[in-house]
mmCIF file of all heavy atoms in Angstrom:
data_model
loop_
_atom_site.group_PDB
_atom_site.id
_atom_site.type_symbol
_atom_site.label_atom_id
_atom_site.label_comp_id
_atom_site.label_asym_id
_atom_site.label_seq_id
_atom_site.Cartn_x
_atom_site.Cartn_y
_atom_site.Cartn_z
ATOM 1 N N MET A 1 16.065 -3.985 -6.631
ATOM 2 C CA MET A 1 15.850 -3.788 -5.193
ATOM 3 C C MET A 1 17.129 -3.564 -4.397
ATOM 4 O O MET A 1 17.112 -2.911 -3.354
ATOM 5 C CB MET A 1 15.109 -5.004 -4.626
ATOM 6 C CG MET A 1 13.734 -5.236 -5.226
ATOM 7 S SD MET A 1 12.558 -3.924 -4.857
ATOM 8 C CE MET A 1 12.097 -4.356 -3.174
ATOM 9 N N ASP A 2 18.238 -4.116 -4.860
ATOM 10 C CA ASP A 2 19.467 -4.048 -4.057
ATOM 11 C C ASP A 2 20.657 -3.434 -4.776
ATOM 12 O O ASP A 2 21.543 -2.871 -4.143
ATOM 13 C CB ASP A 2 19.857 -5.462 -3.579
ATOM 14 C CG ASP A 2 18.770 -6.109 -2.740
ATOM 15 O OD1 ASP A 2 18.183 -5.405 -1.898
ATOM 16 O OD2 ASP A 2 18.495 -7.298 -2.947
ATOM 17 N N LYS A 3 20.699 -3.565 -6.090
ATOM 18 C CA LYS A 3 21.908 -3.152 -6.813
ATOM 19 C C LYS A 3 21.614 -2.172 -7.939
ATOM 20 O O LYS A 3 22.418 -2.007 -8.847
ATOM 21 C CB LYS A 3 22.615 -4.391 -7.379
ATOM 22 C CG LYS A 3 23.027 -5.402 -6.302
ATOM 23 C CD LYS A 3 23.538 -6.689 -6.926
ATOM 24 C CE LYS A 3 23.871 -7.701 -5.835
ATOM 25 N NZ LYS A 3 24.262 -9.023 -6.394
ATOM 26 N N GLY A 4 20.443 -1.544 -7.899
ATOM 27 C CA GLY A 4 20.048 -0.649 -8.981
ATOM 28 C C GLY A 4 20.884 0.620 -9.039
ATOM 29 O O GLY A 4 21.233 1.194 -8.014
ATOM 30 N N GLU A 5 21.181 1.045 -10.273
ATOM 31 C CA GLU A 5 21.904 2.310 -10.470
ATOM 32 C C GLU A 5 20.909 3.466 -10.396
ATOM 33 O O GLU A 5 19.844 3.424 -11.022
ATOM 34 C CB GLU A 5 22.603 2.292 -11.834
ATOM 35 C CG GLU A 5 23.434 3.529 -12.100
ATOM 36 C CD GLU A 5 24.091 3.531 -13.477
ATOM 37 O OE1 GLU A 5 24.045 2.485 -14.168
ATOM 38 O OE2 GLU A 5 24.622 4.585 -13.863
ATOM 39 N N SER A 6 21.221 4.471 -9.621
ATOM 40 C CA SER A 6 20.325 5.627 -9.465
ATOM 41 C C SER A 6 20.415 6.544 -10.681
ATOM 42 O O SER A 6 21.445 6.582 -11.361
ATOM 43 C CB SER A 6 20.700 6.403 -8.203
ATOM 44 O OG SER A 6 20.397 5.635 -7.052
ATOM 45 N N PRO A 7 19.356 7.303 -10.942
ATOM 46 C CA PRO A 7 18.063 7.306 -10.245
ATOM 47 C C PRO A 7 17.247 6.043 -10.548
ATOM 48 O O PRO A 7 17.243 5.566 -11.670
ATOM 49 C CB PRO A 7 17.366 8.560 -10.786
ATOM 50 C CG PRO A 7 18.421 9.367 -11.491
ATOM 51 C CD PRO A 7 19.420 8.373 -11.967
ATOM 52 N N ILE A 8 16.572 5.539 -9.518
ATOM 53 C CA ILE A 8 15.742 4.341 -9.646
ATOM 54 C C ILE A 8 14.271 4.753 -9.650
ATOM 55 O O ILE A 8 13.831 5.508 -8.791
ATOM 56 C CB ILE A 8 16.006 3.358 -8.488
ATOM 57 C CG1 ILE A 8 17.495 2.968 -8.459
ATOM 58 C CG2 ILE A 8 15.135 2.109 -8.631
ATOM 59 C CD1 ILE A 8 17.886 2.133 -7.255
ATOM 60 N N LEU A 9 13.542 4.244 -10.622
ATOM 61 C CA LEU A 9 12.130 4.588 -10.802
ATOM 62 C C LEU A 9 11.260 3.340 -10.728
ATOM 63 O O LEU A 9 11.586 2.320 -11.327
ATOM 64 C CB LEU A 9 11.939 5.255 -12.170
ATOM 65 C CG LEU A 9 10.512 5.343 -12.738
ATOM 66 C CD1 LEU A 9 9.651 6.289 -11.917
ATOM 67 C CD2 LEU A 9 10.551 5.785 -14.206
ATOM 68 N N ALA A 10 10.169 3.420 -10.022
ATOM 69 C CA ALA A 10 9.131 2.386 -10.053
ATOM 70 C C ALA A 10 7.882 2.999 -10.666
ATOM 71 O O ALA A 10 7.484 4.115 -10.309
ATOM 72 C CB ALA A 10 8.836 1.855 -8.659
ATOM 73 N N ILE A 11 7.288 2.292 -11.604
ATOM 74 C CA ILE A 11 6.016 2.704 -12.202
ATOM 75 C C ILE A 11 4.983 1.671 -11.796
ATOM 76 O O ILE A 11 5.074 0.500 -12.182
ATOM 77 C CB ILE A 11 6.107 2.764 -13.743
ATOM 78 C CG1 ILE A 11 7.239 3.691 -14.183
ATOM 79 C CG2 ILE A 11 4.781 3.214 -14.343
ATOM 80 C CD1 ILE A 11 7.554 3.617 -15.672
ATOM 81 N N LEU A 12 4.033 2.075 -10.987
ATOM 82 C CA LEU A 12 3.014 1.152 -10.491
ATOM 83 C C LEU A 12 1.640 1.561 -10.997
ATOM 84 O O LEU A 12 1.193 2.688 -10.774
ATOM 85 C CB LEU A 12 2.997 1.129 -8.954
ATOM 86 C CG LEU A 12 4.251 0.585 -8.245
ATOM 87 C CD1 LEU A 12 4.017 0.554 -6.739
ATOM 88 C CD2 LEU A 12 4.621 -0.808 -8.737
ATOM 89 N N GLY A 13 1.001 0.636 -11.704
ATOM 90 C CA GLY A 13 -0.365 0.855 -12.151
ATOM 91 C C GLY A 13 -1.284 -0.130 -11.462
ATOM 92 O O GLY A 13 -0.938 -0.712 -10.442
ATOM 93 N N GLY A 14 -2.450 -0.315 -12.044
ATOM 94 C CA GLY A 14 -3.403 -1.246 -11.439
ATOM 95 C C GLY A 14 -4.599 -0.516 -10.876
ATOM 96 O O GLY A 14 -4.596 0.706 -10.724
ATOM 97 N N ALA A 15 -5.606 -1.293 -10.523
ATOM 98 C CA ALA A 15 -6.892 -0.707 -10.134
ATOM 99 C C ALA A 15 -6.928 -0.210 -8.703
ATOM 100 O O ALA A 15 -7.508 0.838 -8.419
ATOM 101 C CB ALA A 15 -8.005 -1.735 -10.342
ATOM 102 N N LYS A 16 -6.276 -0.939 -7.772
ATOM 103 C CA LYS A 16 -6.515 -0.665 -6.362
ATOM 104 C C LYS A 16 -5.253 -0.331 -5.572
ATOM 105 O O LYS A 16 -4.256 -1.029 -5.663
ATOM 106 C CB LYS A 16 -7.206 -1.866 -5.711
ATOM 107 C CG LYS A 16 -8.595 -2.145 -6.284
ATOM 108 C CD LYS A 16 -9.233 -3.349 -5.604
ATOM 109 C CE LYS A 16 -10.644 -3.594 -6.121
ATOM 110 N NZ LYS A 16 -11.273 -4.755 -5.453
ATOM 111 N N VAL A 17 -5.344 0.727 -4.779
ATOM 112 C CA VAL A 17 -4.270 1.080 -3.853
ATOM 113 C C VAL A 17 -4.094 -0.026 -2.816
ATOM 114 O O VAL A 17 -2.971 -0.366 -2.427
ATOM 115 C CB VAL A 17 -4.592 2.417 -3.134
ATOM 116 C CG1 VAL A 17 -3.557 2.699 -2.042
ATOM 117 C CG2 VAL A 17 -4.633 3.564 -4.131
ATOM 118 N N SER A 18 -5.207 -0.616 -2.390
ATOM 119 C CA SER A 18 -5.175 -1.614 -1.320
ATOM 120 C C SER A 18 -4.261 -2.786 -1.652
ATOM 121 O O SER A 18 -3.643 -3.370 -0.765
ATOM 122 C CB SER A 18 -6.585 -2.132 -1.034
ATOM 123 O OG SER A 18 -7.190 -2.631 -2.211
ATOM 124 N N SER A 19 -4.149 -3.129 -2.940
ATOM 125 C CA SER A 19 -3.329 -4.279 -3.336
ATOM 126 C C SER A 19 -1.853 -3.911 -3.484
ATOM 127 O O SER A 19 -1.013 -4.792 -3.655
ATOM 128 C CB SER A 19 -3.839 -4.864 -4.653
ATOM 129 O OG SER A 19 -3.692 -3.931 -5.705
ATOM 130 N N LYS A 20 -1.542 -2.617 -3.429
ATOM 131 C CA LYS A 20 -0.151 -2.199 -3.672
ATOM 132 C C LYS A 20 0.498 -1.484 -2.486
ATOM 133 O O LYS A 20 1.658 -1.074 -2.580
ATOM 134 C CB LYS A 20 -0.111 -1.265 -4.900
ATOM 135 C CG LYS A 20 -0.547 -1.905 -6.223
ATOM 136 C CD LYS A 20 0.492 -2.854 -6.774
ATOM 137 C CE LYS A 20 0.018 -3.636 -7.979
ATOM 138 N NZ LYS A 20 0.018 -2.906 -9.237
ATOM 139 N N ILE A 21 -0.235 -1.329 -1.374
ATOM 140 C CA ILE A 21 0.307 -0.577 -0.232
ATOM 141 C C ILE A 21 1.623 -1.152 0.256
ATOM 142 O O ILE A 21 2.623 -0.433 0.412
ATOM 143 C CB ILE A 21 -0.711 -0.525 0.932
ATOM 144 C CG1 ILE A 21 -1.847 0.439 0.581
ATOM 145 C CG2 ILE A 21 -0.040 -0.044 2.227
ATOM 146 C CD1 ILE A 21 -2.964 0.461 1.593
ATOM 147 N N THR A 22 1.668 -2.471 0.494
ATOM 148 C CA THR A 22 2.888 -3.068 1.037
ATOM 149 C C THR A 22 4.043 -2.983 0.047
ATOM 150 O O THR A 22 5.198 -2.836 0.446
ATOM 151 C CB THR A 22 2.650 -4.536 1.444
ATOM 152 O OG1 THR A 22 2.049 -5.236 0.354
ATOM 153 C CG2 THR A 22 1.744 -4.627 2.658
ATOM 154 N N ILE A 23 3.729 -3.057 -1.248
ATOM 155 C CA ILE A 23 4.775 -2.934 -2.268
ATOM 156 C C ILE A 23 5.342 -1.516 -2.253
ATOM 157 O O ILE A 23 6.568 -1.322 -2.266
ATOM 158 C CB ILE A 23 4.218 -3.270 -3.663
ATOM 159 C CG1 ILE A 23 3.790 -4.735 -3.705
ATOM 160 C CG2 ILE A 23 5.250 -2.979 -4.744
ATOM 161 C CD1 ILE A 23 3.036 -5.117 -4.942
ATOM 162 N N ILE A 24 4.455 -0.517 -2.228
ATOM 163 C CA ILE A 24 4.919 0.869 -2.207
ATOM 164 C C ILE A 24 5.776 1.126 -0.974
ATOM 165 O O ILE A 24 6.862 1.722 -1.069
ATOM 166 C CB ILE A 24 3.721 1.851 -2.257
ATOM 167 C CG1 ILE A 24 2.987 1.732 -3.597
ATOM 168 C CG2 ILE A 24 4.202 3.289 -2.051
ATOM 169 C CD1 ILE A 24 1.698 2.536 -3.684
ATOM 170 N N GLU A 25 5.319 0.654 0.172
ATOM 171 C CA GLU A 25 6.077 0.875 1.416
ATOM 172 C C GLU A 25 7.459 0.249 1.332
ATOM 173 O O GLU A 25 8.447 0.832 1.777
ATOM 174 C CB GLU A 25 5.306 0.320 2.616
ATOM 175 C CG GLU A 25 4.096 1.163 2.980
ATOM 176 C CD GLU A 25 3.328 0.617 4.175
ATOM 177 O OE1 GLU A 25 3.435 -0.607 4.441
ATOM 178 O OE2 GLU A 25 2.618 1.394 4.841
ATOM 179 N N SER A 26 7.538 -0.948 0.754
ATOM 180 C CA SER A 26 8.827 -1.622 0.613
ATOM 181 C C SER A 26 9.730 -0.881 -0.369
ATOM 182 O O SER A 26 10.936 -0.722 -0.132
ATOM 183 C CB SER A 26 8.610 -3.062 0.139
ATOM 184 O OG SER A 26 9.828 -3.728 -0.068
ATOM 185 N N LEU A 27 9.142 -0.397 -1.469
ATOM 186 C CA LEU A 27 9.925 0.274 -2.504
ATOM 187 C C LEU A 27 10.460 1.637 -2.066
ATOM 188 O O LEU A 27 11.494 2.088 -2.575
ATOM 189 C CB LEU A 27 9.078 0.447 -3.772
ATOM 190 C CG LEU A 27 8.810 -0.817 -4.595
ATOM 191 C CD1 LEU A 27 7.821 -0.515 -5.715
ATOM 192 C CD2 LEU A 27 10.112 -1.358 -5.176
ATOM 193 N N LEU A 28 9.772 2.291 -1.138
ATOM 194 C CA LEU A 28 10.180 3.643 -0.742
ATOM 195 C C LEU A 28 11.600 3.694 -0.176
ATOM 196 O O LEU A 28 12.241 4.740 -0.190
ATOM 197 C CB LEU A 28 9.194 4.230 0.268
ATOM 198 C CG LEU A 28 7.817 4.606 -0.293
ATOM 199 C CD1 LEU A 28 6.914 5.160 0.806
ATOM 200 C CD2 LEU A 28 7.928 5.605 -1.445
ATOM 201 N N ASP A 29 12.107 2.555 0.295
ATOM 202 C CA ASP A 29 13.479 2.505 0.806
ATOM 203 C C ASP A 29 14.494 2.233 -0.298
ATOM 204 O O ASP A 29 15.702 2.252 -0.053
ATOM 205 C CB ASP A 29 13.612 1.412 1.879
ATOM 206 C CG ASP A 29 12.912 1.791 3.168
ATOM 207 O OD1 ASP A 29 12.945 2.980 3.541
ATOM 208 O OD2 ASP A 29 12.296 0.899 3.788
ATOM 209 N N LYS A 30 14.003 1.973 -1.531
ATOM 210 C CA LYS A 30 14.901 1.537 -2.604
ATOM 211 C C LYS A 30 14.975 2.516 -3.777
ATOM 212 O O LYS A 30 15.936 2.490 -4.533
ATOM 213 C CB LYS A 30 14.426 0.185 -3.160
ATOM 214 C CG LYS A 30 14.080 -0.865 -2.114
ATOM 215 C CD LYS A 30 15.295 -1.497 -1.514
ATOM 216 C CE LYS A 30 14.922 -2.627 -0.555
ATOM 217 N NZ LYS A 30 16.098 -3.251 0.062
ATOM 218 N N ILE A 31 13.929 3.344 -3.939
ATOM 219 C CA ILE A 31 13.785 4.100 -5.182
ATOM 220 C C ILE A 31 13.930 5.610 -4.973
ATOM 221 O O ILE A 31 13.933 6.107 -3.852
ATOM 222 C CB ILE A 31 12.423 3.815 -5.845
ATOM 223 C CG1 ILE A 31 11.267 4.266 -4.920
ATOM 224 C CG2 ILE A 31 12.294 2.334 -6.188
ATOM 225 C CD1 ILE A 31 9.872 4.081 -5.514
ATOM 226 N N ASP A 32 14.048 6.320 -6.102
ATOM 227 C CA ASP A 32 14.127 7.788 -6.086
ATOM 228 C C ASP A 32 12.827 8.411 -6.583
ATOM 229 O O ASP A 32 12.452 9.506 -6.154
ATOM 230 C CB ASP A 32 15.294 8.250 -6.976
ATOM 231 C CG ASP A 32 16.620 7.658 -6.539
ATOM 232 O OD1 ASP A 32 17.088 8.007 -5.443
ATOM 233 O OD2 ASP A 32 17.171 6.814 -7.281
ATOM 234 N N HIS A 33 12.159 7.705 -7.521
ATOM 235 C CA HIS A 33 10.917 8.225 -8.111
ATOM 236 C C HIS A 33 9.859 7.121 -8.151
ATOM 237 O O HIS A 33 10.189 5.947 -8.345
ATOM 238 C CB HIS A 33 11.144 8.710 -9.550
ATOM 239 C CG HIS A 33 12.062 9.879 -9.672
ATOM 240 N ND1 HIS A 33 11.620 11.190 -9.584
ATOM 241 C CD2 HIS A 33 13.410 9.937 -9.867
ATOM 242 C CE1 HIS A 33 12.657 12.004 -9.733
ATOM 243 N NE2 HIS A 33 13.749 11.269 -9.912
ATOM 244 N N LEU A 34 8.603 7.517 -8.002
ATOM 245 C CA LEU A 34 7.476 6.592 -8.129
ATOM 246 C C LEU A 34 6.397 7.251 -8.977
ATOM 247 O O LEU A 34 5.872 8.307 -8.609
ATOM 248 C CB LEU A 34 6.913 6.225 -6.753
ATOM 249 C CG LEU A 34 5.612 5.410 -6.727
ATOM 250 C CD1 LEU A 34 5.790 4.062 -7.418
ATOM 251 C CD2 LEU A 34 5.114 5.215 -5.297
ATOM 252 N N ILE A 35 6.112 6.650 -10.123
ATOM 253 C CA ILE A 35 4.992 7.090 -10.960
ATOM 254 C C ILE A 35 3.800 6.191 -10.651
ATOM 255 O O ILE A 35 3.917 4.965 -10.680
ATOM 256 C CB ILE A 35 5.333 6.996 -12.458
ATOM 257 C CG1 ILE A 35 6.378 8.060 -12.829
ATOM 258 C CG2 ILE A 35 4.075 7.174 -13.315
ATOM 259 C CD1 ILE A 35 6.862 7.966 -14.277
ATOM 260 N N ILE A 36 2.677 6.801 -10.341
ATOM 261 C CA ILE A 36 1.454 6.039 -10.055
ATOM 262 C C ILE A 36 0.480 6.224 -11.216
ATOM 263 O O ILE A 36 0.211 7.353 -11.652
ATOM 264 C CB ILE A 36 0.817 6.490 -8.728
ATOM 265 C CG1 ILE A 36 1.745 6.101 -7.562
ATOM 266 C CG2 ILE A 36 -0.559 5.864 -8.540
ATOM 267 C CD1 ILE A 36 1.277 6.550 -6.209
ATOM 268 N N GLY A 37 -0.010 5.090 -11.723
ATOM 269 C CA GLY A 37 -0.954 5.132 -12.840
ATOM 270 C C GLY A 37 -2.124 4.203 -12.585
ATOM 271 O O GLY A 37 -2.236 3.588 -11.527
ATOM 272 N N GLY A 38 -3.000 4.107 -13.563
ATOM 273 C CA GLY A 38 -4.138 3.198 -13.447
ATOM 274 C C GLY A 38 -5.190 3.702 -12.476
ATOM 275 O O GLY A 38 -5.189 4.855 -12.037
ATOM 276 N N GLY A 39 -6.076 2.801 -12.087
ATOM 277 C CA GLY A 39 -7.213 3.179 -11.250
ATOM 278 C C GLY A 39 -6.845 3.679 -9.875
ATOM 279 O O GLY A 39 -7.603 4.447 -9.264
#
């Protein structure tokens, strides 16, 4: 979250978008790539 070497990637899976909205919003200021998987 604070000291990662770029490029920084988050891979988020799981069934529901509703449970991950706040995480995605927080991560968008930290990462370069986001892979979305699961339901």
Side-chain angles (χ1 to χ4, degrees):
M1 298 295 281
D2 301 318
K3 301 172 183 175
E5 183 182 351
S6 292
I8 302 173
L9 163 68
I11 304 170
L12 295 184
K16 296 180 177 181
V17 173
S18 55
S19 64
K20 297 286 172 78
I21 287 174
T22 51
I23 296 171
I24 294 173
E25 288 180 336
S26 177
L27 287 173
L28 289 179
D29 289 323
K30 313 283 185 181
I31 62 177
D32 302 293
H33 295 272
L34 172 61
I35 290 175
I36 293 177

